[in-house]
């Protein structure tokens, strides 16, 4: 087994070199195409996300508990369909692109519905359908990234994709800000422009992302069934990764709450609120690729835990008595560093423990645990804010993150963190 894995690794490493021996860029065309789709789609989704907290709390008068419920739906309901999306992509044998495309299209179709939803129930339903689309597309998209990359450069590939994705997250709030400043019916205009941009993202995916082929199966591998997907949890490393992602997700306060806390601490005017996510997005964009490359070298799990340490420091700054002008920059820098060190890095680490024929399903398992945990955190944080105030709620989250971090440190995967010996070799796509 070791000899076979070593040969597969040598073959994978050789795939990033030309016949003349020159080293080629380690990012495959599929990664770049998917990054473009994610960039465009994130412009659309972040336009809505940037104005949604203020629209719901200030515009519609929802309480923090009501907002926490909606925010939990927005970030957590996708967990209910991620396994379905991963299963459909694996079972179809090369349908990763089309399952992901269906998810992108479903999310795009929800944007105009926000124009007519004015109360808690219809808004919740629209957001639930939108996150259903995200749940369908996330695992197949990440599977395409991992299958088109070599094991040695998987962290870099996810870093490049997340950097392009975050470029859209950087442009989205800026676009929302400009629309709000230049139109009379600002929120309606934001939702309309967001829909048009989302449609463009779907078209780019259909036209430019390769359809892909079915992943080769290991000898003796069974069909890509739901039973086979859940059986992946028998793998010690994947099981521990899933449990650790779930634990840390239970103490990860949603982005919207972080921005609301910053606004309250600093008295940010409503018209500038949509610009707060720009700080997180800018830090994420600058750090995603270098931290992904470092994770390939020093260990992805160490980087993942380091990202949560950055988040804990951000909580500490929000709880401190410091009111200096650098406070928002420091908090948003740490917030962006948290995402750069965890988002793509977690998927790269999980991919090392999942065979190619079940790659979407395996990644969906990890994503589902994390999404359910963050859904729970949004509900509990909103309830705690309503009952005891924002400072007490954040203090509880900081304590919970510290405890969960210590438990995760003890439960970390025991396999070597270097992806030199992938568990299931797969010929990577020829890099660009």
């Amino acid at each position: 087994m070791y000899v076979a894995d070593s040969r597969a690794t040598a073959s994978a490493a050789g795939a990033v070199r030309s016949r003349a021996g020159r080293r080629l860029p380690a990012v495959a065309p599929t990664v770049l195409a998917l990054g473009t789709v994610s960039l465009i789609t994130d412009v659309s989704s972040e336009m809505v996300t940037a104005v949604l907290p203020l629209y719901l709390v200030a515009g519609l008068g929802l309480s923090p508990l009501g907002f926490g419920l909606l925010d939990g739906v927005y970030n957590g309901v996708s967990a209910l369909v991620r396994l379905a999306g991963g299963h459909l992509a694996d079972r179809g044998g090369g349908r990763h692109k089309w399952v992901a495309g269906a998810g992108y299209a479903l999310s795009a179709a929800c944007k105009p519905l926000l124009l007519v939803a004015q109360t808690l129930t219809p808004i919740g339903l629209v957001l639930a359908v939108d996150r259903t689309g995200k749940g369908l597309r996330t695992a197949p998209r990440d599977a395409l990234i991992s299958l088109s990359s070599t094991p040695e450069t998987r962290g870099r590939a996810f870093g490049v994709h997340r950097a392009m994705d975050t470029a859209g997250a950087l442009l989205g709030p800026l676009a929302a800000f400009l629309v709000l400043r230049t139109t009379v019916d600002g929120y309606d205009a934001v939702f309309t422009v967001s829909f048009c941009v989302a449609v463009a993202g779907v078209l780019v995916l259909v036209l430019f992302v390769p359809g892909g082929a079915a992943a080769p199966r290991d000898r003796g591998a069974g069909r890509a069934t739901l039973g086979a997907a859940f059986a992946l949890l028998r793998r010690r490393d994947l099981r521990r990764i899933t449990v650790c992602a779930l634990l840390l997700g239970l103490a990860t306060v949603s982005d919207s709450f972080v921005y609301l806390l910053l606004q309250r601490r600093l008295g940010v005017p409503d018209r500038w609120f949509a610009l707060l996510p720009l700080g997180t997005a800018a830090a994420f964009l600058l750090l995603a690729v270098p931290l992904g490359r470092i994770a390939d070298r020093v260990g992805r799990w160490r980087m993942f835990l380091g990202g949560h340490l950055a988040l804990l420091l951000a909580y500490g700054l929000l709880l401190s008595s410091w009111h200096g002008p650098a406070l928002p920059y420091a908090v948003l820098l740490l917030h962006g560093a948290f995402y750069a060190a965890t988002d793509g890095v977690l998927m790269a680490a999980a991919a090392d423990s999942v065979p190619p024929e079940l790659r979407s399903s395996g990644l969906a398992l990890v994503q589902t645990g994390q999404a359910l945990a963050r859904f729970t955190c949004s509900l509990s944080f909103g309830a705690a804010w309503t009952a005891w105030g924002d400072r007490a709620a954040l203090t509880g989250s900081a304590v919970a993150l510290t405890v969960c971090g210590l438990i995760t440190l003890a439960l970390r995967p025991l396999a070597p963190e270097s992806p030199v010996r992938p568990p299931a070799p797969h010929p990577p796509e020829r890099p660009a």
Side-chain angles (χ1 to χ4, degrees):
M1 183 65 179
Y2 177 78
V3 173
D5 284 345
S6 298
R7 291 175 179 173
T9 302
S11 175
V16 297
R17 297 182 183 274
S18 68
R19 292 181 180 179
R22 292 184 298 108
R23 188 166 185 82
L24 298 174
V27 179
T30 295
V31 176
L32 298 177
L34 286 169
T36 303
V37 174
S38 293
L39 188 155
I40 297 172
T41 302
D42 244 37
V43 171
S44 170
S45 61
E46 291 300 323
M47 286 182 67
V48 174
T49 301
V51 302
L52 195 61
L54 204 61
Y55 174 66
L56 295 175
V57 175
L60 301 184
L62 291 181
S63 67
L65 177 59
F67 176 72
L69 176 62
L70 281 181
D71 190 68
V73 169
Y74 191 71
N75 290 289
V77 76
S78 62
L80 301 177
V81 293
R82 290 191 189 209
L83 287 175
H87 172 66
L88 289 173
D90 287 335
R91 190 180 182 89
R95 291 183 185 173
H96 298 84
K97 170 184 175 177
W98 303 113
V99 174
Y104 281 112
L106 186 61
S107 293
C110 289
K111 299 299 188 294
L113 298 180
L114 290 171
L115 295 170
V116 296
Q118 299 293 323
T119 58
L120 181 63
T121 300
I123 291 176
L125 290 174
V126 171
L127 295 180
V129 175
D130 177 80
R131 294 299 90 180
T132 297
K134 181 176 177 61
L136 283 175
R137 70 181 184 248
T138 301
R141 180 203 65 197
D142 286 349
L144 279 173
I145 295 172
S146 68
L147 290 170
S148 62
S149 307
T150 65
E152 296 84 359
T153 60
R154 202 166 275 150
R156 182 189 306 178
F158 275 101
V160 168
H161 173 268
R162 292 325 195 243
M164 297 180 71
D165 180 270
T166 307
L170 189 66
L171 296 173
L174 182 59
F177 171 75
L178 294 176
V179 171
L180 287 174
R181 294 277 291 178
T182 57
T183 58
V184 177
D185 297 324
Y187 292 119
D188 289 351
V190 168
F191 299 149
T192 301
V193 174
S194 172
F195 167 69
C196 297
V197 176
V199 171
V202 175
L203 292 176
V204 171
L205 181 137
V206 171
L207 296 176
F208 297 104
V209 174
R217 299 182 178 276
D218 293 337
R219 292 182 180 180
R223 296 177 60 194
T225 63
L226 285 177
F230 282 105
L232 289 172
L233 292 176
R234 297 174 185 170
R235 296 174 176 239
R236 182 181 59 186
D237 284 347
L238 184 65
R239 182 173 64 251
R240 292 194 176 196
I241 287 173
T242 304
V243 170
C244 291
L246 188 152
L247 282 174
L248 291 169
L250 288 172
T252 301
V253 176
S254 108
D255 299 356
S256 298
F257 278 125
V258 170
Y259 303 141
L260 286 172
L261 288 166
L262 263 180
Q263 186 202 31
R264 292 203 169 200
R265 280 286 307 274
L266 303 174
V268 177
D270 291 353
R271 66 179 180 275
W272 299 104
F273 181 83
L275 294 180
L276 289 178
L278 291 178
T280 297
F284 193 171
L285 176 63
L286 293 174
L287 296 174
V289 175
L291 291 185
R293 296 183 66 176
I294 293 172
D296 285 336
R297 296 176 182 176
V298 305
R300 291 159 188 164
W301 200 246
R302 294 188 183 94
M303 182 63 66
F304 183 70
L305 291 176
H308 284 86
L309 178 59
L311 182 63
L312 184 61
L313 292 175
Y315 291 174
L317 289 179
L318 286 172
L319 290 169
S320 70
S321 58
W322 180 35
H323 288 80
L327 175 64
Y329 301 101
V331 170
L332 295 176
L333 174 62
L334 290 169
H335 199 226
F338 157 69
Y339 278 113
T342 59
D343 191 13
V345 171
L346 177 62
M347 291 298 97
D352 295 336
S353 303
V354 181
E357 67 275 2
L358 291 171
R359 185 63 52 82
S360 288
S361 300
L363 297 184
L365 284 172
V366 180
Q367 294 166 354
T368 296
Q370 188 178 60
L372 286 174
R374 290 183 176 179
F375 172 77
T376 302
C377 183
S378 288
L379 292 180
S380 59
F381 189 87
W385 186 335
T386 302
W388 302 304
D390 55 352
R391 188 175 183 84
L394 187 59
T395 300
S397 295
V399 172
L401 183 58
T402 301
V403 173
C404 291
L406 293 174
I407 297 174
T408 299
L409 189 62
L411 291 178
R412 67 188 185 278
L414 300 178
E417 291 191 303
S418 175
V420 174
R421 294 168 54 192
H426 174 63
E429 177 183 342
R430 185 176 179 83

